[in-house]
Amino acid sequence: MTKKVAVVADRIGWEERKLIELGPGLGVEVDWVNDESLCLGGADAPSVNAYDALLVRSRSYTRGGLVATLAEEAGIPVLNSARAINACENKAVLRAVLRAASIPVPDFRLVLSRKDFAKALDELGVPVVLKPIFGGMGKRVTLIRHTDTAHSVYDYVEDLGHAFEQACLVEPFLAGGSSVRCLVAGSEIVAAAEFASAGTDWRSNAALGNSSTAIAHDPDVVKIVDAVVAELGPGIYGIDLFRTEDGLVVNEVNHAPAFRGVASTTAADIPSAIVQYVQELLA
């Protein structure tokens, strides 16, 4: 019997389109369901109860966890789990969860005010990176090289950011200009690529069009990815790692990863791997 899966997202991108196209050939009917039309909260979740599972790919920084929590409460399987999505949506929560599991993450300070910011600069020194707790695709991530400009930069956070946008992390700048992104389906790495900053942009992020190179499954990479999956549970993840002098650290884990860049670099069939994982889970 063909299983029905809803891709819950605010819009259809390349990744969602590929999943919808490939589904029928792999025995899974995949539909797009707009995350703005669910009105969850009722015990029987009528807007989604016709589906065998929900694949949550909301690009919102808060919707995914809310949808997953209420869908699970109504008895509908969700990928990823509500616990995993709630952790991944919030960089501070994620780092606390991983650090408690002895998984290495960059040193950081939570910044909720200018006093916090000043203290973080004193404790960490410069250069540092200022980044929003809720955010992605490298946006609003700022490298601060000099203390004499730091507070001018923070003016933009304080004066222009809305409440949740003012919650930030400050962390030491890890020089090197590259990061490793691993795409995981279930508990396995489907593809891995190393991204380097492009041109004068110091950020290494696939969404910024940075150069990338496919990499083999390095045992050190596999070890840390396995630890992340063991803590968050099997699922579909984009796990971003930084290389440091002391080894790999986990920068972020994305519960709704964009994978077009990694797919084009590695030639891995990531959409098929995701659909096959969903099919196996529902078998």
Side-chain angles (χ1 to χ4, degrees), residues 5-17 19-20 30-38 40 48 51 53-61 63-64 67-68 78-79 85 89 255-257:
V5 174
V7 172
V8 177
D10 52 324
R11 63 180 176 85
I12 292 290
W14 183 89
E15 287 82 359
E16 290 77 24
R17 191 173 297 109
L19 296 173
I20 291 169
V30 183
D31 297 331
W32 169 47
V33 175
N34 193 320
D35 63 11
E36 296 179 343
S37 64
L38 300 181
L40 293 174
V48 289
Y51 293 98
L54 305 185
L55 178 55
V56 177
R57 290 190 55 85
S58 298
R59 288 170 178 80
S60 162
Y61 306 138
R63 291 180 187 176
V67 168
V78 179
L79 295 171
I85 293 175
E89 285 181 330
H255 73 277

Side-chain angles (χ1 to χ4, degrees), residues 181-210:
R181 164 155 282 203
C182 301
L183 267 296
V184 173
S187 300
E188 302 297 325
I189 298 175
V190 178
E194 188 155 359
F195 287 84
S197 57
T200 58
D201 195 330
W202 64 274
R203 296 169 294 177
S204 55
N205 189 291
L208 300 174
N210 297 167

Side-chain angles (χ1 to χ4, degrees), residues 95 97-105 224 227-229 231 250:
R95 291 194 179 183
V97 168
L98 297 183
R99 196 161 61 180
S102 299
I103 298 170
V105 298
I224 199 167
V228 171
V229 173
E231 178 59 29
V250 179

